[in-house]
């Protein structure tokens, strides 16, 4: 399914012609555009692609090689491609219904379909998903730079390896400096297109990570030190079959970008380009995901950890191993630092819309803007210091808020069909998305809970 034009050409040739009617919508209300950004001529196609791609490619990429360990290469890569097409289909649905109802935001679209409770539910889902994702980002950055301990074993961080253990290489200090020096300044921009340069840089850093990983894998393939990986999942009993579904929340989380689509679309100079923006971004991100999963799993095989970055703290068995390890970890930590403000942008707007639904646009109230920003960053900072595992966060957000944002809400809006524009194919697809989302995530939660209970019983 492809993404059609969002409005007739006579209405959508330029940014100035866009009709933005819901002033209280959580994502870029009209008042913000008209009052604050009068001199802004619209975002470019390239900038929009970088911003959407940065929204998609976050910490989820680190868990994808571990999905290959569960699914095998053939099924794993097939699932990555399948999820990309399903994501495109769900974005097409929300944009088409947004055009029909002249909704300028995801929240406004949910409000139109299901009233104020639908809008509130959407806002809560964005809060849960984005808070969880940003906490994961900060956890990974802390692990990479200051180290982490697991099962009594300490894995030294990059700064510990370079300078030794000091108070200023400790986790809390590193995260505090990163928060004050990078996250806070980048989170103060009031327009998402202002982040297009940092988004481009973040995509480049992700490519650096990928190129190094591919280079290491190819080198080891030529010297014969890599064994043939499993092509298909290893299913021996009912428990191992159910385990296959535990990767679904991770795959869903890897593609969630729906909460930023309206913001990016609203700022486009020529909004008819949104079709190309979405398709280009998904193609780029899918390519990165497939190559990372393939070469990451080839490199580490069944020893691939839940966070593949953790595999880059040992001797890789090739020249300059420690330098390459550090380059991989630092490049991706820097990537996550630059992704942070892109995910933070809709988080702040949706929280403000939830707490102050009748207030004037957030960008017009500097005091409220500052208080909401400081409050959210403080919560994320505390969460990153007290939540130990990224897999736990991924499983929770992926099985709850992410699956709602990505599939259940778009499908529900389509089945509601307030404007009578849904085709039979749309409704069949919507039912399929809801059934797949609910079934897969119920099984994933059950499988994780069963494994946790089983491990606890063994320890006793």
């Amino acid at each position: 399914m492809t993404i059609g034009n969002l409005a007739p050409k006579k209405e959508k040739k330029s940014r100035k012609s866009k009709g933005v009617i819901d002033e209280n919508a959580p994502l870029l209300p009209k008042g913000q555009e008209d009052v604050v950004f009068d001199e802004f001529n619209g975002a470019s196609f390239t900038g929009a692609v970088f911003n959407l791609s940065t929204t998609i490619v976050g910490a989820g990429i680190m868990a994808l090689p571990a999905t290959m360990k569960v699914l095998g290469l053939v099924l794993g890569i097939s699932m990555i491609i399948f999820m990309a097409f399903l994501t495109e289909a769900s974005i097409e649905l929300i944009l088409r219904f947004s055009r029909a109802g002249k909704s300028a935001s995801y929240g406004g679209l949910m409000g139109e379909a299901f009233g104020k409770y639908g809008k509130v539910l959407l806002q809560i889902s964005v809060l849960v998903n984005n808070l969880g994702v940003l906490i994961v980002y900060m956890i990974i950055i802390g692990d990479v730079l200051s180290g982490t301990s697991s099962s009594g074993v300490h894995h030294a961080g990059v700064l510990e390896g370079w300078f030794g253990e000091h108070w200023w290489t400790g986790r809390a200090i590193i995260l505090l400096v990163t928060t004050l020096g990078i996250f806070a300044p980048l989170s103060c921009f009031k327009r998402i297109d202002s982040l297009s340069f940092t988004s481009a840089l973040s995509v480049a850093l992700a490519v650096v990570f990928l190129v190094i990983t591919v280079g290491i894998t190819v080198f080891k393939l030529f010297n014969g030190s890599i064994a043939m990986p499993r092509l298909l999942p290893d299913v021996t009993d009912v428990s191992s079959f159910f385990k296959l579904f535990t990767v679904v929340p991770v795959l869903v989380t890897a593609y969630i970008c729906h909460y930023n689509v309206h913001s990016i679309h609203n700022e486009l100079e020529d909004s008819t380009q949104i079709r190309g923006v979405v398709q280009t971004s998904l193609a780029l991100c899918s390519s990165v995901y497939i190559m990372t999963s393939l070469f990451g799993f080839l490199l580490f095989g069944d020893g691939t950890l839940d966070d593949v970055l953790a595999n880059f703290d040992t001797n890789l068995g090739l020249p300059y191993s420690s330098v390459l390890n550090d380059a991989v970890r630092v490049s991706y930590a820097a990537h996550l630092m630059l992704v942070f403000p892109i995910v933070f942008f809709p988080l702040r707007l949706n929280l403000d819309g939830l707490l102050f639904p009748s207030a004037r646009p957030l960008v017009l109230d500097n005091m409220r803007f500052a208080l909401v920003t400081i409050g959210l960053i403080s919560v994320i900072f505390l969460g990153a210091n007290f939540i130990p595992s990224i897999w736990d966060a991924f499983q929770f957000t992926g099985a709850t808020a992410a699956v709602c944002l990505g599939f259940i809400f778009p499908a529900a809006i389509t089945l509601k069909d307030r404007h009578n524009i849904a085709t039979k194919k749309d409704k069949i697809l919507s039912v399929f998305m809801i059934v797949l989302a609910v079934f897969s995530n119920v099984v994933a939660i059950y499988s994780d809970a069963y494994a946790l209970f089983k491990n606890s019983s063994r320890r006793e």
Side-chain angles (χ1 to χ4, degrees):
M1 180 177 290
T2 58
I3 296 177
N5 294 335
L6 295 181
K9 291 184 178 180
K10 65 179 181 180
E11 297 177 2
K12 287 293 185 176
K13 280 298 182 183
S14 69
R15 179 182 173 275
K16 293 181 180 179
S17 63
K18 293 180 183 177
V20 184
I21 62 170
D22 186 358
E23 190 170 358
N24 294 321
L27 301 182
L28 282 183
K30 185 180 192 298
Q32 295 182 27
E33 293 183 351
D34 291 346
V35 178
V36 181
F37 305 132
D38 287 338
E39 299 303 318
F40 176 53
N41 294 321
S44 66
F45 179 89
T46 303
V49 168
F50 281 132
N51 279 334
L52 189 59
S53 298
T54 301
T55 305
I56 298 171
V57 178
I61 193 174
M62 295 296 100
L64 288 179
T67 66
M68 299 297 107
K69 183 172 67 172
V70 176
L71 298 176
L73 283 181
V74 174
L75 183 58
I77 292 175
S78 299
M79 283 298 297
I80 290 174
I81 297 172
F82 172 74
M83 292 300 294
F85 279 104
L86 205 59
T87 299
E88 183 190 359
S90 65
I91 292 174
E92 191 273 340
L93 291 175
I94 64 174
L95 290 177
R96 194 195 321 160
F97 280 88
S98 294
R99 176 189 63 190
K102 298 182 181 179
S103 297
S105 71
Y106 201 170
L109 179 61
M110 281 290 289
E112 182 198 26
F114 300 104
K116 66 177 182 179
Y117 295 109
K119 184 175 180 179
V120 168
L121 185 59
L122 182 281
Q123 291 168 332
I124 292 174
S125 296
V126 173
L127 292 182
V128 172
N129 180 79
N130 290 30
L131 272 175
V133 167
L134 292 177
I135 287 172
V136 166
Y137 290 178
M138 203 175 282
I139 290 173
I140 292 177
I141 291 167
D143 291 348
V144 168
L145 298 181
S146 64
T148 184
S149 296
S150 178
S151 302
V153 179
H154 181 71
H155 299 272
V158 173
L159 295 181
E160 283 183 352
W162 290 351
F163 305 108
E165 292 189 35
H166 302 283
W167 65 269
W168 49 271
T169 61
R171 184 184 192 86
I173 297 298
I174 291 298
L175 291 182
L176 180 62
V177 171
T178 304
T179 299
L180 296 178
I182 299 176
F183 295 154
L186 291 179
S187 297
C188 290
F189 288 109
K190 295 182 178 180
R191 180 163 46 82
I192 198 168
D193 187 62
S194 301
L195 299 169
S196 60
F197 175 77
T198 56
S199 294
L201 183 57
S202 74
V203 172
L205 288 168
V207 172
V208 169
F209 160 79
L210 177 60
V211 168
I212 296 174
T213 303
V214 171
I216 294 171
T217 307
V218 170
F219 179 88
K220 299 193 75 173
L221 277 172
F222 276 109
N223 67 21
S225 57
I226 291 181
M228 182 65 182
R230 281 185 297 103
L231 298 180
L232 298 172
D234 183 16
V235 179
T236 57
D237 53 25
V238 175
S239 177
S240 60
F241 173 74
F242 282 153
K243 187 179 179 181
L244 299 179
F245 292 91
T246 63
V247 305
V248 173
V250 177
L251 290 169
V252 170
T253 304
Y255 278 107
I256 291 299
C257 61
H258 303 63
Y259 50 80
N260 253 354
V261 170
H262 284 85
S263 295
I264 292 169
H265 169 239
N266 290 343
E267 292 187 2
L268 269 173
E269 182 179 11
D270 179 2
S271 60
T272 61
Q273 294 179 331
I274 190 63
R275 172 182 179 177
V277 168
V278 174
Q279 291 181 334
T280 303
S281 299
L282 286 173
L284 173 63
C285 295
S286 299
S287 301
V288 171
Y289 283 170
I290 290 172
M291 294 184 69
T292 301
S293 303
L294 172 63
F295 288 98
F297 185 48
L298 279 174
L299 185 58
F300 300 111
D302 287 334
T304 305
L305 299 176
D306 293 343
D307 175 7
V308 76
L309 276 183
N311 286 108
F312 288 95
D313 68 345
T314 57
N315 190 339
L316 297 173
L318 70 165
Y320 307 107
S321 176
S322 62
V323 174
L324 292 172
N325 278 332
D326 289 347
V328 166
R329 294 191 288 173
V330 169
S331 65
Y332 212 80
H335 164 76
L336 293 181
M337 291 177 189
L338 299 180
V339 173
F340 187 98
I342 287 287
V343 180
F344 186 86
F345 188 88
L347 172 64
R348 175 175 53 210
L349 287 175
N350 278 274
L351 177 63
D352 181 74
L354 187 63
L355 298 179
F356 310 103
S358 300
R360 60 177 177 163
L362 180 62
V363 294
L364 299 180
D365 190 330
N366 290 333
M367 179 61 70
R368 198 168 93 241
F369 184 91
L371 291 176
V372 172
T373 301
I374 292 170
L376 281 172
I377 290 179
S378 299
V379 170
I380 295 166
F381 175 79
L382 292 174
N385 280 280
F386 290 101
I387 298 176
S389 170
I390 72 166
W391 195 256
D392 293 339
F394 271 138
Q395 287 291 320
F396 176 73
T397 59
T400 55
V403 74
C404 288
L405 292 171
F407 301 117
I408 293 179
F409 290 164
I413 290 168
T414 303
L415 293 175
K416 185 77 172 180
D417 195 17
R418 289 180 58 89
H419 303 284
N420 297 316
I421 60 173
T423 65
K424 183 177 180 180
K425 181 180 178 181
D426 294 332
K427 294 183 178 180
I428 293 174
L429 176 64
S430 298
V431 171
F432 171 76
M433 287 195 296
I434 291 176
V435 171
L436 176 67
V438 173
F439 174 74
S440 299
N441 284 281
V442 166
V443 174
I445 293 172
Y446 167 79
S447 181
D448 285 337
Y450 177 77
L452 182 63
F453 176 78
K454 192 173 181 180
N455 292 334
S456 300
S457 300
R458 286 176 179 176
R459 284 196 292 268
E460 294 175 358

